[in-house]
């Protein structure tokens, strides 16, 4: 990734000056340059490349309200600049904020850094494909050195999540996924405990073990904990992430064509909580956070679960499995039960759980359902707008829970034909006795084309959302 620093360089390949559009005449420019800049601004160009023989110099005009949408626009401007740097094989970028807007350079640098991410591990000629941008310098009096270090940690956490999602199951088995979490903990400074299959059996995690029955690879259950001495929360925040490293659908095999093409991303919820706790620990937020990731693949081999099988979750709840492709809720159930032992202040789970979430709101937002206080949910949604990982809340009416009742067991894992994202959440709610928020990230977690700084493949959605929410509501 490109290293972000607030140390002003002696020179840089590309310079970007942010300024208030109304103050364009205050810029220290020669008359001809000012005339050129004003003419470009008059044709509704807010990002202007100034002709120069010595360097590339962009001027970015800022006007209007400094709201969440404007900040997102600044991130996208960062994408444009990043592309220009790499297109001409340059290495360094210097962003200078001369506007009156606080942290304006932060958002441009964030967009540039995130869009500079690449997953090149499996290319033979990876060195030739590598982006040349490696250093981002920023001069902004409204941002401290600590804040620039913080942005670097957030970008690292997001890129970690992206890489985990982009890895194929030929590498990222459940066992390897846990090892990657352990490596991340050693770098960022959080503790990791990995439970193996025998330990999972001892805990009677029937959901995780049931989904794993068709695989030749064992399941894992990873516990990550960051507990600084100056933690401001007496009870921990617990993050739970779905870790299905590949989902064939099991014996309820996904139909073709195309339905399995992106299923290495079915652990994106797990990747998000890893990236979030990484950023939290790396930036030393004074918050006690625990992250839980149950992990397995879902295959139709061996002694795989059959439709109409009945399994027992670790709290003793029996579940009739009507569709083995509704497996994420089964492994999450065991994790949500396990979370009870911490007596948490709040539990948030993230999962690529249902196609219904995608059909209802598309790929531009995640679906949220909750039993937590509405003020807490609203704060999370505010963070969603701040980092532009937007959330749409759905109701948790009891009627949806009625759809999850079985004729032969306590619950079944499949609801009615409609609003599947809500009935799935009602299933999960059964295993909670604490304030809880469920985020279905099935829509935005993985992309088959570039969308600004959201690179093709794993997006890392959830990392920046969780970091912003936890920092604002529990660290301050």
């Amino acid at each position: 990734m490109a290293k972000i620093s607030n140390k002003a360089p002696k020179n840089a390949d590309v310079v970007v000056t942010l300024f208030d559009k109304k103050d364009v005449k205050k810029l220290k420019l020669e008359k001809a340059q000012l005339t050129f800049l004003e003419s470009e601004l008059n044709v509704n160009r807010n990002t202007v490349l100034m002709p120069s023989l010595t360097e590339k110099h962009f001027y970015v005009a800022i006007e209007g309200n400094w709201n969440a949408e404007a900040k997102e626009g600044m991130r996208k401007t960062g994408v444009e600049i990043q592309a220009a740097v790499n297109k001409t094989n340059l290495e360094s970028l210097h962003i200078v904020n001369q506007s009156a807007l606080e942290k304006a350079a932060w958002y441009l640098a964030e967009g540039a850094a995130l869009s500079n991410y690449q997953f090149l591990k499996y290319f033979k000629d990876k060195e030739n494909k590598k982006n040349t941008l490696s250093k981002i310098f920023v001069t902004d009096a409204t941002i401290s050195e600590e804040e620039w270090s913080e942005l670097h940690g957030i970008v690292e956490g997001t890129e970690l999540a992206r890489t985990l999602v982009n890895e194929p199951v030929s590498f990222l088995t459940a066992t390897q996924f846990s090892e990657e979490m352990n490596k991340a903990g050693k770098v960022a400074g959080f503790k990791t405990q990995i439970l193996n299959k025998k330990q999972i059996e001892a805990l009677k995690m029937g959901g995780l073990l049931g989904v794993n029955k068709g695989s030749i690879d064992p399941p894992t259950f990873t516990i990550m904990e960051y507990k600084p001495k100056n933690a401001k929360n007496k009870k921990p925040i617990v993050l739970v992430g779905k870790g299905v490293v590949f989902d064939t659908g099991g014996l309820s095999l996904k139909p073709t064509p195309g339905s399995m093409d992106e299923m290495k991303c079915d652990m994106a919820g797990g990747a998000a909580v890893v990236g979030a706790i990484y950023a939290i620990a790396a930036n030393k937020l004074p918050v006690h956070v625990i992250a839980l990731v149950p992990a397995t693949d879902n295959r139709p081999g061996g002694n795989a679960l059959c439709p109409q099988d009945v399994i027992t979750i670790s709290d003793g709840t029996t579940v009739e499995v009507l569709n083995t492709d509704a497996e994420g809720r089964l492994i999450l159930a065991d994790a949500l039960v396990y979370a009870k032992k911490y007596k948490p202040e709040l539990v948030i789970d993230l999962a690529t759980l249902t196609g219904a979430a995608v059909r209802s709101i598309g790929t531009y937002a995640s679906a949220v359902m909750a039993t937590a206080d509405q003020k807490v949910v609203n704060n999370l949604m505010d963070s969603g707008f701040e980092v532009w990982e937007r959330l749409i809340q759905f109701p948790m009416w009891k009627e949806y829970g009625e759809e999850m009742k079985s004729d032969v067991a306590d619950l079944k894992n499949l609801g009615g034909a409609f609003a599947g994202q809500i009935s799935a959440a009602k299933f999960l709610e059964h295993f909670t006795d604490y304030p809880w928020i469920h985020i279905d990230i099935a829509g935005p977690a993985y992309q088959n084309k570039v969308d600004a700084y959201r690179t093709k493949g794993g997006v890392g959605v959830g990392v920046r959302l969780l970091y912003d929410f936890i920092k604002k509501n529990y660290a301050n």
Side-chain angles (χ1 to χ4, degrees):
M1 65 174 286
K3 183 173 177 56
I4 303 169
S5 170
N6 72 330
K7 305 274 194 252
K10 291 182 180 179
N11 51 62
D13 296 324
V14 178
V15 177
V16 180
T17 298
L18 308 179
F19 67 98
D20 295 307
K21 193 170 185 178
K22 60 183 175 56
D23 295 331
V24 61
K25 293 186 184 300
K26 294 181 181 180
L27 294 172
K28 295 179 180 179
L29 294 172
E30 296 177 1
K31 185 176 180 180
Q33 291 176 319
L34 182 60
T35 300
F36 173 78
L37 179 56
E38 288 180 319
S39 67
E40 291 293 292
L41 295 176
N42 286 336
V43 291
N44 296 319
R45 292 194 181 101
N46 283 342
T47 301
V48 178
L49 174 61
M50 185 67 68
S52 171
L53 296 175
T54 57
E55 66 182 11
K56 285 185 177 293
H57 198 142
F58 289 89
Y59 286 85
V60 178
I62 301 173
E63 62 178 342
N65 296 325
W66 191 230
N67 53 22
E69 191 167 2
K71 293 171 184 176
E72 176 67 0
M74 191 57 65
R75 293 187 191 100
K76 290 182 176 180
T77 298
V79 177
E80 294 178 41
I81 305 296
Q82 174 271 151
V85 174
N86 285 307
K87 186 176 181 180
T88 47
N89 297 319
L90 299 175
E91 297 180 3
S92 61
L93 169 65
H94 184 197
I95 305 165
V96 182
N97 183 21
Q98 292 185 10
S99 78
L101 293 176
E102 186 176 353
K103 294 181 70 172
W106 168 291
Y107 301 100
L108 194 146
E110 184 180 29
L114 288 172
S115 61
N116 201 52
Y117 168 84
Q118 295 175 290
F119 183 69
L120 301 175
K121 178 180 175 180
Y122 296 102
F123 283 105
K124 184 178 180 180
D125 61 341
K126 61 177 77 62
E127 290 302 317
N128 293 331
K129 295 179 181 291
K130 190 178 293 184
N131 284 337
T132 54
L133 175 60
S134 59
K135 290 171 280 191
I136 300 175
F137 302 100
V138 185
T139 301
D140 189 332
T142 68
I143 306 173
S144 67
E145 184 174 353
E146 291 76 16
E147 286 176 306
W148 285 118
S149 176
E150 179 183 32
L151 178 58
H152 191 81
I154 294 168
V155 172
E156 279 190 322
T158 304
E159 294 193 352
L160 169 62
R162 288 177 174 180
T163 295
L164 290 170
V165 173
N166 287 332
E167 285 284 7
V169 71
S170 55
F171 171 77
L172 200 76
T173 61
T175 300
Q176 188 62 45
F177 191 12
S178 292
E179 183 53 37
E180 295 303 309
M181 296 183 225
N182 187 46
K183 291 177 185 176
K186 290 178 179 178
V187 174
F190 60 83
K191 295 180 180 178
T192 306
Q193 180 185 4
I194 302 170
L195 305 185
N196 60 30
K197 186 173 183 178
K198 286 187 177 180
Q199 292 168 304
I200 293 168
E201 288 172 338
L203 290 169
K204 298 181 179 179
M205 291 184 171
L208 180 54
L209 292 166
V211 175
N212 183 250
K213 286 177 70 175
S215 175
I216 61 171
D217 296 319
T220 60
F221 188 91
T222 304
I223 304 155
M224 294 163 277
E225 183 171 20
Y226 174 66
K227 188 177 183 180
K229 292 180 180 179
N230 62 338
K232 295 188 176 182
N233 52 327
K234 293 181 179 179
K235 296 180 178 180
I237 308 299
V238 178
L239 309 176
V240 177
K242 174 185 171 184
V244 177
V245 292
F246 195 88
D247 181 20
T248 69
L251 285 180
S252 302
L253 196 68
K254 291 179 182 292
T256 54
S259 58
M260 242 184 274
D261 292 355
E262 298 174 358
M263 283 299 102
K264 68 179 182 180
C265 86
D266 214 19
M267 38 61 69
V273 303
V274 178
I277 197 170
Y278 179 98
I280 289 165
N283 289 327
K284 296 180 171 57
L285 291 190
V287 186
H288 182 194
V289 179
I290 295 167
L292 308 175
V293 179
T296 181
D297 55 311
N298 182 29
R299 298 195 191 231
N303 197 27
L305 279 177
C306 295
Q308 296 187 315
D309 275 351
V310 176
I311 61 173
T312 304
I313 304 300
S314 46
D315 69 345
T317 300
T318 56
V319 178
E320 181 187 15
V321 179
L322 292 180
N323 188 319
T324 63
D325 196 23
E327 85 299 332
R329 65 201 67 183
L330 301 179
I331 71 171
L332 287 174
D334 280 322
L336 293 173
V337 170
Y338 193 86
K340 293 179 182 179
K341 68 180 287 186
Y342 300 110
K343 298 184 176 9
E345 182 169 347
L346 176 68
V347 174
I348 305 176
D349 79 70
L350 293 89
T352 49
L353 205 63
T354 66
V358 186
R359 289 189 292 273
S360 60
I361 55 176
T363 62
Y364 302 114
S366 297
V368 171
M369 290 134 279
T371 61
D373 186 275
Q374 189 59 44
K375 183 179 178 181
V376 176
V377 180
N378 289 344
N379 288 341
L380 179 67
M381 295 178 74
D382 287 344
S383 287
F385 274 103
E386 177 65 23
V387 304
W388 216 250
E389 293 185 356
R390 292 166 292 179
L391 306 170
I392 300 295
Q393 187 175 8
F394 288 86
M396 288 282 282
W397 298 330
K398 65 180 181 180
E399 289 86 351
Y400 293 106
E402 296 295 316
E403 296 182 7
M404 306 309 292
K405 290 184 177 179
S406 166
D407 294 332
V408 300
D410 298 321
L411 296 173
K412 58 183 179 179
N413 78 327
L414 200 64
F418 307 108
Q421 75 276 24
I422 305 177
S423 56
K426 291 299 290 185
F427 176 90
L428 295 177
E429 181 190 12
H430 174 87
F431 302 97
T432 68
D433 65 358
Y434 39 68
W436 164 72
I437 299 174
H438 165 60
I439 308 177
D440 192 331
I441 61 172
Y446 192 90
Q447 298 197 146
N448 53 26
K449 62 180 180 180
V450 174
D451 176 20
Y453 58 88
R454 298 169 187 85
T455 48
K456 187 175 181 180
V459 173
V461 71
V463 176
R464 293 160 56 243
L465 169 70
L466 292 172
Y467 184 90
D468 188 83
F469 169 73
I470 290 172
K471 179 185 177 183
K472 287 179 177 174
N473 295 279
Y474 300 95
N476 295 325

